[in-house]
Amino acid sequence: MRQILLIISIHLLFSCNRHTDNTKVLQNRIDSLESKLADSYKPGLGEFMSSIQAHHSKLWFAAQNENWKLADFEVHEIMEAIEDIQKFESERKESQMTGMINPALDSINNAIQKKSLALFKSSYSLLTNTCNNCHRITGFDFNVVKIPDSQPFSNQDFRLNEPK
Ligand code: HEC
């Protein structure tokens, strides 16, 4: 009986040790994953905004050329960037306010679907005003966006190259 008890306790002692070993290994892996995650690249809000700025400008020239397919593409790029801001910049208080841009984006989408340049122009003003409203209320009022005067990229043709 004594022998059996001794064997059981030795066995328990070993399995307990193995358990602590496993916990240590797991903890080390978690620590190393955490430090890798902390070092991984994540675009900042300003970088997302610079991308939105480019799409905002391209959107204008696509519509001016009545290239509605490109306009549709550009407005969706803005929508994706807004979703990415909510996902990757959730800790910034401004990310909670991105919903304010939705009515303007809906209005742009509607103009594109109707292929109406007149509707597009008023929606685009609404959009641009919304950009600036957010900049104003978040303390970035020195960041003013406007309707662009000239095409942003000389290496892109904004005209539609197929029959309308
Ligand atoms: C929900 C609020 C919000 C909305 C809506 C918004 N922005 Fe911004 N924007 C910001 C904030 C905050 C910054 C400053 C980011 C930073 O900290 O770097 C910024 C910065 C910028 C910058 C400066 C980037 C640079 O490095 O020069 C541009 C350009 C810009 N936004 C364009 C736009 C455009 C175009 C729109 C509309 C289509 C828009 N933003 C809509 C909040 C907003």
Side-chain angles (χ1 to χ4, degrees):
M1 185 65 191
R2 255 208 189 152
Q3 259 180 334
I4 295 177
L5 272 180
L6 192 69
I7 291 171
I8 290 178
S9 44
I10 288 174
H11 181 77
L12 276 177
L13 196 69
F14 271 107
S15 60
C16 195
N17 248 347
R18 215 179 310 133
H19 182 71
T20 11
D21 279 357
N22 281 346
T23 315
K24 251 188 208 158
V25 170
L26 280 176
Q27 188 58 52
N28 284 345
R29 292 211 56 191
I30 291 171
D31 289 349
S32 116
L33 282 173
E34 269 180 351
S35 82
K36 269 190 194 149
L37 206 61
D39 286 345
S40 65
Y41 176 73
K42 186 177 80 151
L45 189 53
E47 281 158 287
F48 283 120
M49 282 294 156
S50 296
S51 138
I52 289 178
Q53 176 182 23
H55 296 300
H56 173 263
S57 181
K58 288 182 179 191
L59 174 62
W60 174 258
F61 290 102
Q64 293 318 294
N65 286 284
E66 298 195 55
N67 187 344
W68 300 114
K69 277 187 183 170
L70 180 60
D72 184 57
F73 175 84
E74 297 299 347
V75 76
H76 281 88
E77 291 295 302
I78 297 179
M79 289 156 73
E80 273 174 33
I82 295 284
E83 279 169 24
D84 284 346
I85 288 174
Q86 286 159 351
K87 184 173 166 189
F88 295 108
E89 291 298 326
S90 54
E91 71 283 2
R92 293 258 324 228
K93 65 174 191 327
E94 296 93 337
S95 306
Q96 258 86 107
M97 297 158 61
T98 49
M100 67 190 285
I101 205 173
N102 290 341
L105 292 175
D106 287 348
S107 174
I108 296 259
N109 271 319
N110 180 43
I112 292 173
Q113 241 152 46
K114 295 203 166 106
K115 301 187 177 183
S116 161
L117 194 53
L119 262 183
F120 177 86
K121 281 185 179 165
S122 59
S123 312
Y124 195 87
S125 291
L126 176 67
L127 176 67
T128 309
N129 288 338
T130 312
C131 307
N132 289 326
N133 280 342
C134 188
H135 293 166
R136 216 170 294 128
I137 52 183
T138 52
F140 291 93
D141 49 341
F142 51 88
N143 251 322
V144 182
V145 287
K146 64 180 194 66
I147 296 177
D149 309 314
S150 54
Q151 292 193 5
F153 295 97
S154 61
N155 59 352
Q156 185 168 2
D157 190 348
F158 290 89
R159 292 165 305 177
L160 189 63
N161 290 314
E162 59 181 31
K164 279 177 196 153

